[in-house]
Amino acid sequence: KGINSVSWLPSVHETSPEVISGVKDGNEILPLFPLGGIVYTPNSEHVLNIFEPRYRQMYNDILMNGSKRFVVSMSHPSIKGSFAKQGVLFQLEDLKEVSEQTQDQIKYICNHKVIGRVKIDKVLNPEVWTTRDTYLKVEGTIIDDSKEDEEVAGDQVYGAVAAAKLSVEEQKLKNAFASLVDMQHELQEDVRFTKASVDSFAVRPGSGEDGLWQTIRLWQSYTEQRLVNRQNEMQKEFQNKLIEFLKQEKGVKDEELPSAIGFTDLSPALQQEVSELQKRMAIELQPLVLESTLTMQKILEAEDHIERVELVRFFIDAERKRLEAKKTLQGMFSGGPSSLGDVASTSSSDAVAIPTGKEDSTKPSPVKDDQEDKDESIEGPKQSIFMDDPDAFQ
């Protein structure tokens, strides 16, 4: 369970460099670009800003040799220099040189597509992780998931009836999702799937619009938005006190409320509350963030489509059971579901976000560069949650 349920490489700090005398049959030597505690999924698209010298060199190398590919793998949450054995293969689609516009703070802005999965066997030059002289290189196997797409194409030969046929496990997954959506709407959850998403729920093999990977990305977005909503709930009480402070102590009128206020402008009591709130958020939310990330990594490690289907159904059933327990508690103590409105979120003590009432809460907030398409199948707040990695989540 937990962190140990994922397969990890030994830390580079405990690994000796290897002389590359040959590569095992079926393996390739590939650059490794660890991107923190983030799990990427096949057939997704991402934008990266490249500024570190070693990764500038990596991009120059993959352009020169024509491969335009590298491995991205999740970093271990507590062991420095350890990465997940299962990663994904990024393919460079477009690169823009922006060093002049950014005073060389950023060298490239790069568009990528995740074209497959990679099973990493070993890191070949672990010593450079500490020296930062160059980028890591790994030996691994590129997993060919294209057979799933070929199977889907083969189904189409037999017509619409064969193409629409679902396996027993796929149908169980659809039923589990429908049950979850019903429970979410019964409890009026702040973050929930739309009723229409039940009909469009994708469970087929492959990476197409009806493929399971679409659903996996949707589930990832849902868990992230639930975390954002919980963060907002924790901030709401403090933000109400903050507005009261601004009105009574600073004489600010409703229409003059700023969107943010400097930490040093707060009273000592409110500064203390900010510090305590951030400690509470770290204690309560970071384990939930880790659980969400490990969930996606386990799905990424699944050997085949059916194993992925079973894992997704397991996580959906776990969420439904959580809501059933919540429903029982509400019936015992509160008499019904409660609803919390959207509030703005913050990620540091430098500024505290305040809901001003001027923004239209029905409009989705901007998403990061690598997730331009908004998930219309999910209702609820779509704001960023604090993470160690700035490229984390939407």
Side-chain angles (χ1 to χ4, degrees):
K1 290 183 177 182
I3 296 173
N4 294 330
S5 67
V6 168
S7 299
W8 302 98
L9 292 166
S11 171
V12 293
H13 300 296
E14 301 171 357
T15 307
S16 301
E18 295 197 18
V19 177
I20 304 175
S21 56
V23 181
K24 191 170 70 174
D25 287 345
N27 279 13
E28 292 190 33
I29 296 176
L30 297 160
L32 174 65
F33 193 168
L35 287 173
I38 313 170
V39 179
Y40 296 95
T41 56
N43 209 39
S44 56
E45 297 181 1
H46 307 279
V47 176
L48 299 177
N49 296 331
I50 307 305
F51 52 89
E52 276 197 68
R54 54 180 168 173
Y55 296 120
R56 295 184 184 200
Q57 178 187 345
M58 185 191 80
Y59 276 84
N60 290 336
D61 289 349
I62 64 174
L63 286 171
M64 289 294 292
N65 63 33
S67 67
K68 295 185 178 181
R69 303 184 303 179
F70 56 90
V71 182
V72 172
S73 179
M74 173 188 175
S75 300
H76 195 287
S78 57
I79 301 177
K80 292 183 178 181
S82 178
F83 312 107
K85 287 185 178 180
Q86 191 83 22
V88 292
L89 191 64
F90 268 46
Q91 178 171 282
L92 178 63
E93 300 283 312
D94 183 58
L95 178 147
K96 294 180 181 178
E97 164 79 61
V98 294
S99 54
E100 288 188 10
Q101 298 94 310
T102 64
Q103 289 75 50
D104 204 38
Q105 291 185 7
I106 297 175
K107 176 70 171 177
Y108 301 125
I109 295 179
C110 306
N111 297 335
H112 310 80
K113 184 173 183 178
V114 180
I115 59 172
R117 298 180 296 143
V118 179
K119 186 175 182 180
I120 304 171
D121 289 343
K122 55 188 174 182
V123 178
L124 299 174
N125 57 342
E127 73 282 1
V128 304
W129 184 247
T130 301
T131 65
R132 295 176 176 260
D133 292 336
T134 187
Y135 54 90
L136 293 172
K137 293 182 181 179
V138 298
E139 181 179 336
T141 306
I142 298 175
I143 301 171
D144 184 8
D145 288 324
S146 62
K147 293 179 181 178
E148 292 185 359
D149 291 310
E150 292 172 3
E151 290 173 4
V152 173
D155 280 347
Q156 294 170 356
V157 174
Y158 299 100
V161 175
K165 185 178 179 181
L166 299 177
S167 72
V168 173
E169 292 304 318
E170 289 169 341
Q171 189 59 57
K172 286 181 179 178
L173 175 56
K174 285 185 72 75
N175 294 343
F177 181 72
S179 177
L180 171 63
V181 173
D182 286 342
M183 180 66 69
Q184 288 178 334
H185 282 261
E186 180 183 349
L187 294 177
Q188 300 176 28
E189 286 291 287
D190 294 331
V191 180
R192 62 193 177 210
F193 293 100
T194 63
K195 289 282 191 179
S197 66
V198 175
D199 295 330
S200 59
F201 190 71
V203 296
R204 300 285 288 168
S207 56
E209 291 184 0
D210 63 345
L212 181 66
W213 283 114
Q214 295 281 1
T215 287
I216 291 169
R217 283 190 290 277
L218 182 67
W219 185 256
Q220 185 177 32
S221 180
Y222 165 72
T223 57
E224 291 162 3
Q225 290 178 31
R226 268 198 58 224
L227 288 166
V228 169
N229 192 59
R230 179 61 188 135
Q231 177 185 358
N232 290 341
E233 290 176 2
M234 295 179 71
Q235 289 179 324
K236 186 177 181 181
E237 181 180 351
F238 168 76
Q239 288 171 331
N240 289 337
K241 292 181 180 179
L242 180 56
I243 291 175
E244 183 180 354
F245 165 77
L246 290 174
K247 288 180 178 180
Q248 294 184 0
E249 303 295 328
K250 301 292 186 179
V252 178
K253 298 178 181 179
D254 284 338
E255 61 273 15
E256 298 173 342
L257 285 172
S259 60
I261 181 172
F263 180 75
T264 55
D265 294 328
L266 300 177
S267 67
L270 285 177
Q271 289 183 7
Q272 180 65 27
E273 286 207 38
V274 169
S275 300
E276 293 299 324
L277 176 62
Q278 290 188 320
K279 290 178 183 178
R280 284 177 50 218
M281 290 170 67
I283 292 171
E284 180 173 336
L285 295 182
Q286 286 186 353
L288 297 177
V289 171
L290 178 59
E291 180 184 354
S292 172
T293 304
L294 294 176
T295 293
M296 297 309 300
Q297 183 63 32
K298 285 300 297 180
I299 293 173
L300 193 67
E301 289 183 0
E303 292 291 336
D304 53 36
H305 171 69
I306 292 301
E307 186 177 342
R308 282 191 288 275
V309 167
E310 291 174 344
L311 276 170
V312 174
R313 180 162 63 91
F314 173 83
F315 296 125
I316 286 177
D317 283 341
E319 175 65 1
R320 178 180 50 79
K321 290 174 182 177
R322 182 187 73 83
L323 293 181
E324 287 175 347
K326 179 179 179 179
K327 179 182 177 182
T328 300
L329 289 173
Q330 286 178 343
M332 294 171 60
F333 300 109
S334 66
S338 62
S339 178
L340 293 172
D342 290 358
V343 293
S345 65
T346 182
S347 59
S348 73
S349 60
D350 295 330
V352 180
I354 307 167
T356 65
K358 296 178 182 178
E359 295 84 7
D360 182 356
S361 63
T362 63
K363 294 180 181 178
S365 61
V367 297
K368 63 178 181 176
D369 290 338
D370 66 356
Q371 196 169 346
E372 294 178 355
D373 295 331
K374 300 173 181 65
D375 294 312
E376 296 179 354
S377 296
I378 302 175
E379 301 171 342
K382 298 180 176 67
Q383 298 167 316
S384 297
I385 191 167
F386 73 95
M387 289 291 291
D388 291 336
D389 195 306
D391 191 39
F393 296 162
Q394 65 176 20

